[in-house]
Amino acid sequence: MRESWYPVLLVLPKVLDRLWCLRDGCCSDILADNVTLLFKLYCLAVMTVMAAAYTIALRYTRTSDKELYFSTTAVCITEVIKLLLSVGILAKETGSLGRFKASLRENVLGSPKELLKLSVPSLVYAVQNNMAFLALSNLDAAVYQVTYQLKIPCTALCTVLMLNRTLSKLQWVSVFMLCAGVTLVQWKPAQATKVVVEQNPLLGFGAIAIAVLCSGFAGVYFEKVLKSSDTSLWVRNIQMYLSGIIVTLVGVYLSDGAEIKEKGFFYGYTYYVWFVIFLASVGGLYTSVVVKYTDNIMKGFSAAAAIVLSTIASVMLFGLQITLTFALGTLLVCVSIYLYGLPRQDTTSIQQGETASKERVIGV
């Protein structure tokens, strides 16, 4: 099992380097309004690998025969690590201790309204993350993944309603094509599995339904906040993670307070649990960077593509069997990703060209 994470560990340093690069200004092409297709593909590839590794690792930690850890504590620690990383990157971005303190004083301590504004997505994200642990504790990974892809049309709808953004007919077709492809990929992917745990399917489906709604709303809300001002991305992250820590600590106390007092905060933690927390922390920061320069629907397609990798990993680790529907679904997923990434045709320039041609004809 441990050897299967080596390819992911090789990618993670590059992800961290890219985070620094984005804020240092050495990737000026990324700061353009029209993000290049190459950068979109880069984001898609990295996020796909990290999402696949996170799903498989999380499922493994919730179904192993070892003592089960408290998922609420894992969500809380993830928020703490995200906050520390954001503070460190902001310190490097400001360049001096004085400017760093001034930035915190102005944007964090001196902006209670902004903290309140960012407490909305932090609360919703906390619910979503806890629901993901609950769902993967009660549902097979395949069922979880296919159902969770309902967040894509949910995000698209929130994007249209909250950001006043329009999607082309081709993009809408690709959204539902992706959902169809994901359904095929996960349609009875295996008749047997090496992992046998007691599950409550109804509870798992309920958790996924809540997580889908939270994902769509919180992602678009945070994107709107990011793109509505010139405030540093890392300042926004600090504002959100401060609220997130408070919310998750309340969740720890209300959900597992009595047992944690008896067994300890880090009860059941293993190297794999810390690996899940690490992926969630770094992946969350990287996702916030990608949202700043692309959009949430692109993030949804990355997660969908990760399903293919997750299924392949499940074949090797959990004994899943590839079927014909898996092959057909994979094709649909790849086609839908390609269709969504196609640039829109600039009809304005076409119309201007046609007008100029008509004028030349009239002149002749």
Side-chain angles (χ1 to χ4, degrees):
M1 180 72 179
R2 184 173 300 174
E3 289 77 4
S4 62
W5 307 123
Y6 287 170
V8 179
L9 295 177
L10 293 176
V11 174
L12 291 177
K14 297 182 180 179
V15 174
L16 294 174
D17 290 340
R18 196 62 170 179
L19 286 174
W20 291 108
C21 176
L22 286 169
R23 300 314 307 165
D24 288 344
C26 58
C27 298
S28 57
D29 57 312
I30 299 174
L31 302 178
D33 292 334
N34 297 324
V35 182
T36 63
L37 179 59
L38 182 61
F39 176 64
K40 286 186 178 183
L41 293 176
Y42 167 81
C43 295
L44 191 66
V46 175
M47 291 179 64
T48 297
V49 172
M50 297 189 70
Y54 174 75
T55 302
I56 295 297
L58 178 54
R59 175 62 179 174
Y60 176 79
T61 61
R62 303 304 291 179
T63 57
S64 63
D65 55 358
K66 299 180 180 179
E67 297 294 337
L68 194 61
Y69 60 98
F70 300 109
S71 60
T72 53
T73 62
V75 174
C76 182
I77 294 174
T78 299
E79 295 297 305
V80 174
I81 296 177
K82 288 180 181 179
L83 175 63
L84 295 177
L85 290 175
S86 297
V87 169
I89 297 176
L90 179 64
K92 188 176 188 299
E93 179 185 66
T94 53
S96 68
L97 183 60
R99 287 196 292 269
F100 172 66
K101 291 181 178 180
S103 179
L104 290 180
R105 190 181 304 111
E106 176 184 356
N107 297 295
V108 179
L109 300 178
S111 301
K113 291 184 178 180
E114 294 299 315
L115 285 175
L116 183 61
K117 181 191 300 184
L118 270 297
S119 66
V120 175
S122 66
L123 172 61
V124 179
Y125 274 132
V127 174
Q128 175 195 342
N129 293 332
N130 279 285
M131 290 300 102
F133 277 89
L134 181 60
L136 280 169
S137 299
N138 291 279
L139 288 176
D140 183 81
V143 177
Y144 166 82
Q145 290 181 14
V146 64
T147 309
Y148 193 65
Q149 294 315 302
L150 292 175
K151 70 177 183 177
I152 298 174
C154 181
T155 300
L157 181 60
C158 290
T159 299
V160 173
L161 296 178
M162 297 173 62
L163 299 180
N164 296 322
R165 186 178 300 164
T166 59
L167 300 179
S168 66
K169 292 182 180 180
L170 184 60
Q171 285 178 316
W172 280 115
V173 170
S174 65
V175 166
F176 292 104
M177 182 185 295
L178 183 139
C179 291
V182 170
T183 303
L184 287 175
V185 167
Q186 298 296 345
W187 184 261
K188 295 182 179 179
Q191 298 298 326
T193 177
K194 297 178 182 178
V195 178
V196 180
V197 294
E198 183 179 354
Q199 300 179 106
N200 185 340
L202 183 60
L203 180 61
F205 278 120
I208 290 181
I210 297 174
V212 165
L213 295 175
C214 291
S215 176
F217 172 77
V220 176
Y221 183 98
F222 187 55
E223 179 182 352
K224 185 175 182 179
V225 172
L226 284 177
K227 296 183 177 180
S228 63
S229 68
D230 295 330
T231 304
S232 169
L233 168 66
W234 305 112
V235 170
R236 291 299 190 188
N237 280 335
I238 291 173
Q239 293 171 340
M240 184 168 65
Y241 297 145
L242 281 173
S243 302
I245 292 174
I246 297 175
V247 170
T248 53
L249 281 175
V250 172
V252 168
Y253 175 78
L254 294 178
S255 179
D256 304 307
E259 291 187 74
I260 289 177
K261 288 181 180 179
E262 177 184 352
K263 299 180 179 179
F265 192 88
F266 297 101
Y267 174 78
Y269 273 56
T270 63
Y271 290 113
Y272 295 119
V273 176
W274 284 110
F275 181 69
V276 170
I277 294 174
F278 177 73
L279 282 178
S281 303
V282 177
L285 288 177
Y286 188 81
T287 298
S288 64
V289 172
V290 173
V291 168
K292 179 71 174 179
Y293 302 108
T294 56
D295 57 55
N296 273 278
I297 302 179
M298 196 72 178
K299 183 179 68 175
F301 277 99
S302 172
I307 291 178
V308 178
L309 292 182
S310 298
T311 305
I312 295 175
S314 296
V315 171
M316 297 184 293
L317 300 175
F318 306 126
L320 295 180
Q321 300 174 354
I322 297 179
T323 62
L324 177 61
T325 55
F326 172 83
L328 295 177
T330 302
L331 179 61
L332 279 179
V333 168
C334 295
V335 172
S336 63
I337 293 175
Y338 171 76
L339 291 178
Y340 181 80
L342 288 177
R344 291 190 178 187
Q345 190 177 21
D346 190 355
T347 56
T348 303
S349 60
I350 294 177
Q351 292 175 354
Q352 290 177 350
E354 291 178 349
T355 302
S357 299
K358 292 179 179 179
E359 290 177 352
R360 285 196 296 271
V361 172
I362 293 175
V364 173

